[in-house]
Amino acid sequence: MRARTAALAAAVMPATVAAAAIVLKAGHWQLHADRHRIRLTPIARRSCPDCRGAGGWWVGGANPEMEPCGCWAERRELTLRLLPRPTVPYDEPPF
């Protein structure tokens, strides 16, 4: 029974990873994962008629600034926390 479960998991995992990559690319998300969190951040759409995938445009004047495009700037960043972050510096003893 364990061998069959292991074989099924080995067969399903590459398909799941490939499907997740396709969904992230189609939805214009960037995935970042570390031991403390999993974070999905929106990225600019290449098919956007306003910014054409650049993510914004420069506004001229005395102090030029980048104006973010609504194709990514108006979307929320999603974060799932996994492990708590340490509250004390590592160079101090715990007690």
Side-chain angles (χ1 to χ4, degrees), residues 1-93:
M1 185 68 169
R2 287 185 184 177
R4 186 185 328 173
T5 304
L8 180 63
V12 170
M13 289 301 278
T16 304
V17 170
I22 291 170
V23 167
L24 286 172
K25 188 169 182 118
H28 301 283
W29 292 96
Q30 182 178 16
L31 174 71
H32 172 78
D34 60 14
R35 61 186 285 199
H36 297 289
R37 69 189 154 284
I38 298 173
R39 183 173 39 195
L40 290 171
T41 54
I43 56 175
R45 298 174 189 266
R46 291 189 340 200
S47 62
C48 178
D50 295 331
C51 69
R52 296 178 184 87
W57 50 88
W58 288 97
V59 178
N63 297 321
E65 295 181 357
M66 180 123 186
E67 180 75 27
C69 184
C71 71
W72 70 271
E74 296 173 359
R75 295 169 59 192
R76 289 180 12 158
E77 179 179 289
L78 306 171
T79 303
L80 176 65
R81 296 204 186 272
L82 301 175
L83 294 174
R85 297 190 87 156
T87 57
V88 296
Y90 288 109
D91 59 347
E92 292 183 10

